[in-house]
Coordinates of all heavy atoms in Angstrom, one line a residue:
M1 N 0.8 -1.2 0.0 CA 0.0 0.0 0.0 C 0.9 1.3 0.0 O 2.0 1.2 0.6 CB -0.9 0.0 1.3 CG -1.9 1.1 1.3 SD -3.1 0.8 2.6 CE -4.2 2.0 2.3
D2 N 0.4 2.3 -0.7 CA 1.2 3.5 -0.7 C 1.3 4.3 0.6 O 0.3 4.4 1.3 CB 0.6 4.5 -1.8 CG 0.9 4.0 -3.2 OD1 1.6 3.0 -3.4 OD2 0.3 4.6 -4.1
C3 N 2.5 4.8 0.9 CA 2.7 5.5 2.1 C 1.9 6.8 2.1 O 1.8 7.5 1.1 CB 4.2 5.8 2.3 SG 4.6 6.8 3.7
N4 N 1.4 7.2 3.2 CA 0.8 8.5 3.3 C 1.3 9.3 4.5 O 0.6 10.2 5.0 CB -0.8 8.4 3.4 CG -1.3 7.7 4.6 OD1 -0.5 7.4 5.5 ND2 -2.6 7.3 4.6
T5 N 2.5 8.9 5.0 CA 3.1 9.7 6.1 C 4.3 10.5 5.6 O 4.1 11.6 5.1 CB 3.6 8.7 7.2 OG1 4.5 7.8 6.7 CG2 2.4 8.0 7.9
V6 N 5.5 10.0 5.6 CA 6.7 10.8 5.2 C 7.2 10.5 3.8 O 7.9 11.3 3.2 CB 7.9 10.5 6.2 CG1 7.5 11.0 7.6 CG2 8.2 9.1 6.3
K7 N 6.8 9.4 3.2 CA 7.2 9.0 1.8 C 6.0 8.9 0.9 O 5.6 7.8 0.5 CB 8.0 7.7 1.8 CG 9.3 7.8 2.5 CD 10.0 6.4 2.5 CE 11.3 6.3 3.2 NZ 11.8 5.0 3.2
P8 N 5.3 10.0 0.7 CA 4.0 9.9 0.0 C 4.1 9.2 -1.4 O 5.0 9.5 -2.2 CB 3.5 11.4 -0.1 CG 4.7 12.2 0.1 CD 5.6 11.4 0.9
G9 N 3.2 8.2 -1.6 CA 3.2 7.6 -2.9 C 4.1 6.4 -3.0 O 4.0 5.7 -4.0
V10 N 5.0 6.1 -2.1 CA 5.9 5.0 -2.1 C 5.2 3.8 -1.6 O 4.6 3.8 -0.5 CB 7.2 5.3 -1.3 CG1 8.1 4.1 -1.3 CG2 7.9 6.5 -1.9
D11 N 5.3 2.7 -2.4 CA 4.7 1.4 -2.0 C 5.4 0.9 -0.8 O 6.7 0.7 -0.8 CB 4.7 0.4 -3.1 CG 4.0 -0.8 -2.8 OD1 2.9 -0.7 -2.1 OD2 4.4 -1.9 -3.3
C12 N 4.7 0.5 0.3 CA 5.4 0.1 1.6 C 4.6 -1.1 2.2 O 3.4 -1.0 2.2 CB 5.5 1.3 2.5 SG 6.3 0.9 4.0
L13 N 5.4 -2.0 2.7 CA 4.8 -3.2 3.4 C 4.2 -2.8 4.8 O 3.3 -3.5 5.2 CB 5.8 -4.3 3.6 CG 6.4 -4.9 2.4 CD1 7.6 -5.8 2.7 CD2 5.3 -5.7 1.6
F14 N 4.7 -1.7 5.4 CA 4.2 -1.4 6.7 C 2.9 -0.6 6.7 O 2.2 -0.4 7.7 CB 5.3 -0.5 7.4 CG 6.5 -1.3 7.8 CD1 7.7 -1.1 7.1 CD2 6.5 -2.3 8.7 CE1 8.8 -1.8 7.4 CE2 7.6 -3.0 9.0 CZ 8.8 -2.8 8.4
M15 N 2.6 0.0 5.5 CA 1.4 0.8 5.4 C 0.1 -0.1 5.2 O 0.1 -1.0 4.5 CB 1.5 1.8 4.2 CG 0.4 2.8 4.2 SD 0.2 3.8 5.7 CE 1.6 4.8 5.7
S16 N -0.9 0.3 6.0 CA -2.2 -0.4 5.9 C -3.3 0.6 6.0 O -3.0 1.8 6.2 CB -2.3 -1.4 7.0 OG -2.4 -0.8 8.3
N17 N -4.5 0.2 6.0 CA -5.6 1.1 6.1 C -5.7 1.8 7.4 O -6.2 2.9 7.6 CB -7.0 0.4 5.9 CG -7.1 0.0 4.4 OD1 -6.6 0.7 3.5 ND2 -7.9 -1.0 4.2
S18 N -5.1 1.2 8.5 CA -5.1 1.8 9.8 C -3.8 2.6 10.0 O -3.6 3.1 11.1 CB -5.1 0.7 10.9 OG -4.1 -0.2 10.7
G19 N -3.0 2.8 9.0 CA -1.8 3.7 9.1 C -0.5 2.9 9.1 O -0.5 1.7 8.8
C20 N 0.6 3.6 9.3 CA 1.9 2.9 9.3 C 2.1 2.1 10.5 O 2.0 2.6 11.7 CB 3.0 4.0 9.2 SG 4.7 3.3 9.2
A21 N 2.5 0.8 10.3 CA 2.7 -0.1 11.4 C 4.2 -0.1 11.8 O 4.5 -0.9 12.7 CB 2.3 -1.5 11.0
Y22 N 5.1 0.7 11.2 CA 6.5 0.6 11.6 C 6.7 1.3 13.0 O 5.9 2.1 13.4 CB 7.3 1.4 10.5 CG 8.8 1.1 10.8 CD1 9.4 -0.2 10.6 CD2 9.6 2.1 11.3 CE1 10.7 -0.4 10.8 CE2 11.0 1.8 11.6 CZ 11.5 0.6 11.3 OH 12.8 0.4 11.6
N23 N 7.7 0.9 13.6 CA 8.1 1.5 14.9 C 8.0 3.0 15.0 O 8.8 3.6 14.3 CB 9.5 1.0 15.3 CG 9.9 1.4 16.7 OD1 9.1 1.7 17.5 ND2 11.2 1.4 16.9
G24 N 7.1 3.5 15.7 CA 7.0 5.0 15.8 C 6.0 5.5 14.9 O 5.7 6.7 14.9
G25 N 5.4 4.7 14.0 CA 4.4 5.2 13.1 C 4.9 5.8 11.8 O 4.1 6.3 11.0
S26 N 6.2 5.8 11.6 CA 6.7 6.3 10.3 C 8.2 5.9 10.2 O 8.8 5.5 11.1 CB 6.6 7.8 10.1 OG 7.5 8.4 11.0
C27 N 8.7 6.0 9.0 CA 10.2 5.8 8.8 C 11.0 6.9 9.6 O 10.4 7.9 9.9 CB 10.5 5.9 7.3 SG 9.9 4.6 6.3
H28 N 12.2 6.6 9.8 CA 13.1 7.5 10.5 C 14.1 8.2 9.5 O 14.5 7.6 8.6 CB 13.9 6.8 11.6 CG 13.0 6.2 12.6 ND1 12.5 6.9 13.7 CD2 12.4 5.0 12.7 CE1 11.7 6.1 14.4 NE2 11.6 5.0 13.9
Q29 N 14.5 9.4 9.8 CA 15.3 10.1 8.9 C 16.7 9.5 8.9 O 17.1 8.8 9.8 CB 15.4 11.6 9.2 CG 14.1 12.3 9.0 CD 14.3 13.8 8.8 OE1 15.2 14.3 8.2 NE2 13.3 14.6 9.4
I30 N 17.5 9.8 7.8 CA 18.9 9.3 7.7 C 19.7 9.8 8.8 O 19.4 10.8 9.5 CB 19.5 9.6 6.4 CG1 19.6 11.1 6.2 CG2 18.8 8.9 5.2 CD1 20.6 11.5 5.0
V31 N 20.9 9.2 9.0 CA 21.8 9.7 10.0 C 23.0 10.2 9.3 O 23.1 10.1 8.1 CB 22.3 8.5 11.0 CG1 21.1 8.1 11.9 CG2 22.8 7.3 10.2
E32 N 24.0 10.8 10.1 CA 25.1 11.5 9.4 C 25.9 10.6 8.6 O 26.4 11.0 7.5 CB 26.0 12.0 10.6 CG 27.2 12.9 10.1 CD 28.0 13.4 11.3 OE1 27.5 13.4 12.4 OE2 29.2 13.7 11.0
Q33 N 26.1 9.3 8.9 CA 26.9 8.4 8.1 C 26.3 8.1 6.8 O 26.9 7.6 5.9 CB 27.0 7.0 8.9 CG 27.8 7.1 10.2 CD 26.9 7.3 11.4 OE1 25.9 8.0 11.3 NE2 27.2 6.6 12.5
C34 N 25.0 8.3 6.6 CA 24.3 8.1 5.3 C 24.6 9.1 4.3 O 24.3 8.9 3.1 CB 22.8 8.0 5.5 SG 22.2 6.7 6.6
Q35 N 25.1 10.3 4.7 CA 25.4 11.4 3.7 C 26.2 10.9 2.6 O 27.3 10.3 2.8 CB 26.0 12.6 4.4 CG 25.2 13.2 5.4 CD 23.9 13.9 4.8 OE1 23.9 14.2 3.6 NE2 22.9 14.1 5.6
G36 N 25.8 11.0 1.4 CA 26.5 10.6 0.2 C 26.1 9.3 -0.4 O 26.5 8.9 -1.5
C37 N 25.2 8.6 0.3 CA 24.7 7.3 -0.2 C 23.6 7.6 -1.3 O 22.8 8.5 -1.2 CB 24.1 6.6 1.0 SG 23.4 4.9 0.4
N38 N 23.6 6.7 -2.3 CA 22.7 6.9 -3.4 C 21.2 6.5 -3.0 O 20.3 6.7 -3.8 CB 23.1 6.1 -4.6 CG 24.3 6.6 -5.3 OD1 24.6 7.8 -5.1 ND2 25.0 5.8 -6.0
H39 N 21.1 5.9 -1.9 CA 19.8 5.5 -1.4 C 19.0 6.6 -0.7 O 17.9 6.4 -0.3 CB 19.8 4.2 -0.5 CG 20.3 3.0 -1.3 ND1 19.5 2.5 -2.3 CD2 21.4 2.3 -1.2 CE1 20.1 1.4 -2.8 NE2 21.3 1.3 -2.1
V40 N 19.7 7.7 -0.4 CA 19.1 8.8 0.3 C 18.1 9.5 -0.7 O 18.5 9.9 -1.8 CB 20.1 9.8 0.8 CG1 19.4 11.0 1.4 CG2 21.0 9.1 1.8
I41 N 16.9 9.7 -0.3 CA 15.9 10.5 -1.0 C 15.3 11.6 -0.2 O 15.0 11.4 1.0 CB 14.7 9.5 -1.5 CG1 15.3 8.4 -2.4 CG2 13.7 10.3 -2.3 CD1 14.2 7.5 -2.9
T42 N 15.2 12.7 -0.8 CA 14.7 13.9 -0.1 C 13.2 14.0 -0.4 O 12.7 14.1 -1.5 CB 15.4 15.2 -0.5 OG1 16.8 15.0 -0.3 CG2 14.9 16.4 0.3
Y43 N 12.4 14.0 0.7 CA 11.0 14.2 0.7 C 10.6 15.5 1.4 O 11.5 16.1 2.1 CB 10.2 13.1 1.4 CG 10.4 11.7 0.7 CD1 11.4 10.8 1.1 CD2 9.6 11.4 -0.4 CE1 11.5 9.6 0.4 CE2 9.7 10.2 -1.0 CZ 10.7 9.3 -0.6 OH 10.8 8.1 -1.2
P44 N 9.4 16.0 1.2 CA 9.1 17.3 1.9 C 9.3 17.1 3.5 O 9.6 18.1 4.1 CB 7.6 17.4 1.6 CG 7.4 16.7 0.3 CD 8.4 15.6 0.3
A45 N 9.2 16.0 4.0 CA 9.3 15.8 5.4 C 10.8 15.6 5.9 O 11.1 15.6 7.1 CB 8.5 14.5 5.9
G46 N 11.7 15.5 4.9 CA 13.1 15.3 5.3 C 13.8 14.3 4.3 O 13.3 13.9 3.3
Q47 N 15.0 13.9 4.7 CA 15.8 12.9 4.0 C 15.6 11.5 4.6 O 15.8 11.3 5.8 CB 17.3 13.3 4.0 CG 17.5 14.5 3.1 CD 19.0 14.8 3.0 OE1 19.7 14.9 4.0 NE2 19.5 14.9 1.8
Y48 N 15.3 10.6 3.7 CA 15.0 9.2 4.1 C 15.7 8.2 3.3 O 16.1 8.5 2.1 CB 13.5 8.9 4.1 CG 12.7 9.7 5.1 CD1 12.3 11.0 4.8 CD2 12.5 9.2 6.4 CE1 11.6 11.7 5.8 CE2 11.8 10.0 7.4 CZ 11.4 11.2 7.0 OH 10.7 12.0 8.0
C49 N 15.9 7.0 3.8 CA 16.5 5.9 3.0 C 15.5 5.2 2.2 O 14.4 4.9 2.6 CB 17.2 5.0 4.0 SG 17.9 3.5 3.2
R50 N 15.9 4.9 0.9 CA 15.0 4.2 0.0 C 14.8 2.7 0.4 O 13.8 2.2 0.2 CB 15.6 4.3 -1.4 CG 14.8 3.6 -2.4 CD 15.6 3.4 -3.8 NE 16.6 4.4 -4.0 CZ 16.6 5.3 -5.0 NH1 15.6 5.3 -5.7 NH2 17.5 6.1 -5.1
T51 N 15.8 2.2 1.1 CA 15.8 0.7 1.3 C 15.6 0.3 2.8 O 15.3 -0.8 3.1 CB 17.2 0.1 0.9 OG1 18.2 0.7 1.7 CG2 17.4 0.2 -0.6
Y52 N 15.8 1.3 3.7 CA 15.6 0.9 5.1 C 14.8 1.9 5.9 O 15.0 3.1 5.7 CB 17.0 0.7 5.7 CG 17.0 -0.2 6.9 CD1 16.8 -1.6 6.8 CD2 17.2 0.3 8.2 CE1 16.7 -2.4 7.9 CE2 17.2 -0.6 9.3 CZ 16.9 -1.9 9.1 OH 16.8 -2.7 10.2
S53 N 14.0 1.5 6.8 CA 13.1 2.4 7.5 C 13.8 3.1 8.7 O 13.4 4.2 9.0 CB 11.9 1.6 8.1 OG 11.2 1.0 7.0
D54 N 14.8 2.5 9.3 CA 15.5 3.2 10.4 C 17.0 3.1 10.2 O 17.7 2.2 10.7 CB 15.1 2.5 11.7 CG 15.6 3.3 12.9 OD1 16.3 4.3 12.7 OD2 15.3 2.8 14.0
P55 N 17.6 4.1 9.4 CA 19.0 4.0 9.1 C 20.0 4.0 10.2 O 21.0 3.4 10.1 CB 19.2 5.3 8.3 CG 17.8 5.6 7.7 CD 16.9 5.1 8.7
S56 N 19.6 4.6 11.4 CA 20.5 4.6 12.5 C 20.8 3.2 13.0 O 22.0 2.9 13.4 CB 19.9 5.4 13.7 OG 18.7 4.7 14.2
V57 N 19.9 2.2 12.8 CA 20.1 0.8 13.2 C 21.2 0.2 12.3 O 22.0 -0.6 12.8 CB 18.8 0.0 13.2 CG1 19.1 -1.4 13.4 CG2 17.8 0.6 14.2
K58 N 21.2 0.6 11.1 CA 22.2 0.0 10.2 C 23.7 0.4 10.4 O 24.6 -0.2 9.9 CB 21.9 0.4 8.7 CG 20.5 -0.1 8.2 CD 20.4 -1.6 8.2 CE 21.1 -2.2 7.1 NZ 21.0 -3.7 7.1
W59 N 23.8 1.4 11.3 CA 25.2 1.9 11.5 C 25.6 1.6 13.0 O 26.6 2.1 13.4 CB 25.3 3.4 11.3 CG 25.2 3.7 9.8 CD1 24.1 4.0 9.1 CD2 26.3 3.7 8.9 NE1 24.5 4.2 7.8 CE2 25.8 4.0 7.6 CE3 27.7 3.4 9.0 CZ2 26.6 4.1 6.5 CZ3 28.5 3.6 7.9 CH2 28.0 3.9 6.6
I60 N 24.9 0.8 13.7 CA 25.2 0.6 15.2 C 26.5 -0.1 15.3 O 27.4 0.4 16.1 CB 24.1 -0.1 15.9 CG1 22.9 0.8 16.0 CG2 24.5 -0.7 17.2 CD1 21.7 0.1 16.7
D61 N 26.7 -1.2 14.7 CA 27.9 -2.1 14.9 C 28.9 -1.9 13.8 O 30.1 -2.1 14.1 CB 27.5 -3.5 15.0 CG 26.8 -3.8 16.3 OD1 27.0 -3.1 17.3 OD2 25.9 -4.7 16.3
A62 N 28.5 -1.6 12.6 CA 29.4 -1.6 11.5 C 28.8 -0.7 10.4 O 27.8 -0.1 10.6 CB 29.7 -3.0 11.0
R63 N 29.5 -0.7 9.3 CA 29.1 0.1 8.1 C 27.8 -0.5 7.6 O 27.7 -1.8 7.5 CB 30.2 0.0 7.1 CG 29.9 0.8 5.8 CD 31.1 0.6 4.9 NE 30.8 1.2 3.6 CZ 30.1 0.5 2.7 NH1 29.7 -0.7 2.9 NH2 29.8 1.1 1.5
C64 N 26.9 0.3 7.1 CA 25.6 -0.2 6.6 C 25.9 -1.1 5.3 O 26.7 -0.6 4.4 CB 24.8 1.0 6.2 SG 23.3 0.5 5.2
N65 N 25.4 -2.2 5.2 CA 25.7 -3.2 4.1 C 25.0 -2.8 2.8 O 25.3 -3.3 1.8 CB 25.3 -4.6 4.5 CG 23.9 -4.8 4.9 OD1 23.3 -3.8 5.5 ND2 23.3 -5.9 4.6
F66 N 24.1 -1.8 2.9 CA 23.4 -1.3 1.7 C 24.0 0.0 1.2 O 23.7 0.5 0.1 CB 21.9 -1.0 2.0 CG 21.1 -2.2 2.3 CD1 20.3 -2.2 3.4 CD2 21.1 -3.4 1.5 CE1 19.5 -3.3 3.8 CE2 20.3 -4.5 1.8 CZ 19.6 -4.4 3.0
A67 N 25.0 0.5 1.9 CA 25.5 1.8 1.6 C 26.3 1.7 0.2 O 26.9 0.8 -0.1 CB 26.5 2.3 2.7
T68 N 26.1 2.8 -0.6 CA 26.7 2.9 -1.9 C 28.0 3.7 -1.8 O 28.8 3.7 -2.8 CB 25.8 3.4 -2.9 OG1 25.4 4.7 -2.6 CG2 24.6 2.5 -3.1
H69 N 28.2 4.5 -0.8 CA 29.3 5.4 -0.7 C 30.4 4.7 0.1 O 30.2 3.8 0.9 CB 29.0 6.7 -0.1 CG 28.3 6.6 1.3 ND1 27.3 5.7 1.6 CD2 28.5 7.3 2.4 CE1 26.9 5.9 2.8 NE2 27.7 6.8 3.3
N70 N 31.7 5.1 -0.2 CA 32.9 4.6 0.5 C 33.2 3.2 0.2 O 34.2 2.7 0.6 CB 32.8 4.7 2.0 CG 32.6 6.2 2.5 OD1 33.1 7.1 1.8 ND2 32.0 6.3 3.6
R71 N 32.4 2.6 -0.6 CA 32.7 1.2 -1.0 C 34.0 1.0 -1.7 O 34.8 0.1 -1.4 CB 31.5 0.6 -1.7 CG 31.6 -0.9 -2.0 CD 30.4 -1.5 -2.6 NE 29.4 -1.5 -1.5 CZ 28.1 -1.7 -1.7 NH1 27.7 -1.9 -2.9 NH2 27.3 -1.8 -0.7
I72 N 34.2 1.8 -2.8 CA 35.4 1.7 -3.6 C 36.7 2.0 -2.8 O 37.6 1.4 -2.9 CB 35.3 2.6 -4.8 CG1 34.2 2.1 -5.7 CG2 36.6 2.7 -5.6 CD1 33.8 3.1 -6.8
E73 N 36.5 3.1 -1.9 CA 37.7 3.4 -1.1 C 38.0 2.3 -0.2 O 39.2 2.1 0.0 CB 37.3 4.7 -0.3 CG 37.2 5.9 -1.1 CD 36.6 7.1 -0.4 OE1 36.8 7.1 0.9 OE2 36.1 8.0 -1.0
T74 N 37.1 1.6 0.3 CA 37.3 0.5 1.3 C 38.1 -0.6 0.6 O 39.1 -1.1 1.1 CB 36.0 0.0 1.8 OG1 35.3 1.0 2.4 CG2 36.3 -1.1 2.9
R75 N 37.7 -0.9 -0.7 CA 38.4 -2.0 -1.4 C 39.8 -1.6 -1.7 O 40.7 -2.4 -1.6 CB 37.6 -2.3 -2.7 CG 36.3 -3.0 -2.5 CD 35.7 -3.4 -3.8 NE 34.4 -4.0 -3.5 CZ 33.4 -4.1 -4.4 NH1 33.5 -3.5 -5.6 NH2 32.3 -4.7 -4.1
E76 N 40.0 -0.3 -2.1 CA 41.4 0.2 -2.4 C 42.2 0.1 -1.2 O 43.4 -0.3 -1.2 CB 41.3 1.6 -3.0 CG 40.8 1.6 -4.4 CD 40.7 3.0 -4.9 OE1 40.9 4.0 -4.2 OE2 40.3 3.1 -6.1
E77 N 41.6 0.5 -0.1 CA 42.3 0.5 1.2 C 42.8 -0.9 1.6 O 43.9 -1.2 2.0 CB 41.4 1.0 2.3 CG 42.1 1.8 3.4 CD 41.1 2.5 4.2 OE1 40.7 3.6 3.9 OE2 40.7 1.9 5.3
R78 N 41.9 -1.9 1.3 CA 42.2 -3.3 1.7 C 43.4 -3.8 0.8 O 44.3 -4.4 1.3 CB 41.0 -4.2 1.4 CG 40.0 -4.2 2.5 CD 39.0 -5.2 2.3 NE 37.9 -5.0 3.1 CZ 36.6 -5.3 2.8 NH1 36.3 -5.8 1.7 NH2 35.6 -5.0 3.7
K79 N 43.4 -3.3 -0.5 CA 44.5 -3.7 -1.3 C 45.8 -3.2 -0.8 O 46.8 -3.8 -0.8 CB 44.3 -3.2 -2.8 CG 43.3 -4.0 -3.5 CD 43.1 -3.5 -4.9 CE 42.0 -4.2 -5.6 NZ 41.7 -3.6 -6.9
K80 N 45.8 -1.9 -0.4 CA 47.0 -1.3 0.1 C 47.4 -1.9 1.4 O 48.6 -2.1 1.7 CB 46.8 0.2 0.3 CG 46.6 1.0 -1.0 CD 46.4 2.4 -0.8 CE 46.0 3.1 -2.0 NZ 45.5 4.5 -1.7
L81 N 46.5 -2.2 2.3 CA 46.8 -2.6 3.7 C 46.7 -4.1 3.8 O 45.9 -4.6 4.6 CB 45.8 -1.9 4.6 CG 45.8 -0.4 4.6 CD1 44.7 0.1 5.5 CD2 47.1 0.2 5.1
N82 N 47.5 -4.8 3.1 CA 47.5 -6.2 3.3 C 49.0 -6.6 3.4 O 49.6 -7.3 2.5 CB 46.8 -7.0 2.2 CG 46.5 -8.4 2.6 OD1 47.1 -8.9 3.5 ND2 45.5 -9.0 1.9
P83 N 49.6 -6.3 4.5 CA 51.1 -6.5 4.7 C 51.4 -8.0 4.7 O 52.5 -8.4 4.3 CB 51.4 -5.9 6.0 CG 50.1 -5.7 6.7 CD 49.1 -5.6 5.7
L84 N 50.5 -8.9 5.1 CA 50.8 -10.3 5.2 C 51.0 -10.9 3.8 O 52.0 -11.6 3.6 CB 49.6 -11.0 5.9 CG 49.8 -12.5 6.2 CD1 51.0 -12.7 7.1 CD2 48.6 -13.1 6.8
K85 N 50.1 -10.6 2.9 CA 50.3 -11.0 1.5 C 51.5 -10.4 0.9 O 52.2 -11.1 0.2 CB 49.0 -10.7 0.7 CG 47.9 -11.6 0.9 CD 46.8 -11.3 -0.1 CE 45.6 -12.3 0.1 NZ 44.5 -12.0 -0.8
A86 N 51.7 -9.2 1.1 CA 52.9 -8.5 0.6 C 54.2 -9.2 1.1 O 55.2 -9.4 0.3 CB 52.9 -7.0 0.9
S87 N 54.2 -9.6 2.3 CA 55.4 -10.2 2.9 C 55.6 -11.6 2.3 O 56.7 -12.0 2.0 CB 55.2 -10.3 4.4 OG 56.2 -11.1 5.0
K88 N 54.5 -12.3 2.2 CA 54.6 -13.7 1.6 C 55.1 -13.6 0.1 O 55.9 -14.4 -0.3 CB 53.2 -14.4 1.6 CG 52.8 -14.9 3.0 CD 51.5 -15.6 2.9 CE 51.1 -16.0 4.3 NZ 49.8 -16.7 4.4
R89 N 54.6 -12.6 -0.6 CA 55.0 -12.5 -2.0 C 56.5 -12.2 -2.1 O 57.2 -12.7 -2.9 CB 54.2 -11.3 -2.7 CG 52.8 -11.8 -3.1 CD 52.2 -10.7 -4.0 NE 50.7 -10.9 -3.9 CZ 49.8 -10.0 -3.6 NH1 50.2 -8.8 -3.4 NH2 48.6 -10.3 -3.5
S90 N 56.9 -11.3 -1.2 CA 58.3 -10.9 -1.3 C 59.2 -12.1 -0.9 O 60.3 -12.2 -1.4 CB 58.6 -9.7 -0.4 OG 58.4 -10.1 0.9
R91 N 58.8 -12.9 0.0 CA 59.6 -14.1 0.4 C 59.6 -15.1 -0.7 O 60.6 -15.8 -0.9 CB 58.9 -14.8 1.6 CG 59.2 -14.1 2.9 CD 58.7 -14.9 4.1 NE 58.5 -14.0 5.2 CZ 57.7 -14.2 6.2 NH1 57.1 -15.4 6.3 NH2 57.6 -13.4 7.2
G92 N 58.5 -15.2 -1.5 CA 58.5 -16.2 -2.6 C 59.4 -15.9 -3.7 O 59.8 -16.8 -4.5
K93 N 59.7 -14.6 -3.9 CA 60.6 -14.2 -5.0 C 62.1 -14.4 -4.7 O 62.6 -14.4 -3.7 CB 60.3 -12.7 -5.4 CG 58.9 -12.6 -6.0 CD 58.6 -11.2 -6.4 CE 57.2 -11.0 -6.9 NZ 56.9 -9.7 -7.2
Ligands
SF4_1 S1 21.4 2.3 2.4 FE1 22.4 2.5 4.5 S2 23.8 4.2 4.2 FE2 22.4 4.3 2.5 S3 20.8 5.7 3.2 FE3 20.1 3.6 3.7 S4 20.8 3.2 5.8 FE4 21.9 5.0 5.0

C-alpha cells in the first residue's frame, strides 16, 4: 500500500488502512553516516533511506551493508593494507 506519512506515494509493506505499522508510526530520517549514499531520497518531510526504515540501526555495529558510498575506497584500502600477503609475495621471489 502507498505511504501517506513521510514518503507519499511510495509502496510500503508497513502501510495499511489503519496507518503505518512501523516502529513509531513512520520511517526515521537518515543519520550522518548516510550522507553521500545513493539510497538517500529527499521528501518534503526530510531525507529518508530508500531501502531501510531506520537508518541509525544499520550503523550501530558496522558500516551499513546497503551503503553505496565509501565502498570503492574501502576496497582500495584493503589492497594497500595487506602486509601479510605482501610479505609472503616478497619471500616467494
Ligand atoms: S542504504 Fe544504508 S547508508 Fe544508504 S541511506 Fe540507507 S541506511 Fe543510510
Side-chain angles (χ1 to χ4, degrees):
M1 188 171 186
D2 286 353
C3 176
N4 63 11
T5 57
V6 295
K7 298 178 182 176
V10 175
D11 188 35
C12 181
L13 295 172
F14 293 108
M15 187 55 70
S16 68
N17 289 333
S18 59
C20 179
Y22 190 70
N23 184 20
S26 72
C27 290
H28 299 273
Q29 291 201 40
I30 61 164
V31 292
E32 185 181 341
Q33 296 95 319
C34 297
Q35 294 294 339
C37 179
N38 289 339
H39 293 296
V40 175
I41 299 181
T42 303
Y43 293 96
Q47 290 187 305
Y48 293 87
C49 175
R50 181 195 329 250
T51 60
Y52 204 69
S53 300
D54 190 357
S56 65
V57 174
K58 298 299 286 179
W59 289 95
I60 286 177
D61 291 330
R63 181 182 171 277
C64 171
N65 58 328
F66 295 129
T68 60
H69 55 315
N70 298 332
R71 185 169 288 165
I72 294 170
E73 291 171 23
T74 305
R75 286 183 183 157
E76 286 175 357
E77 211 169 276
R78 281 188 195 148
K79 284 181 185 173
K80 289 178 191 172
L81 300 175
N82 199 338
L84 186 60
K85 282 188 177 178
S87 174
K88 285 181 180 176
R89 278 188 207 129
S90 66
R91 284 187 202 160
K93 291 181 181 175

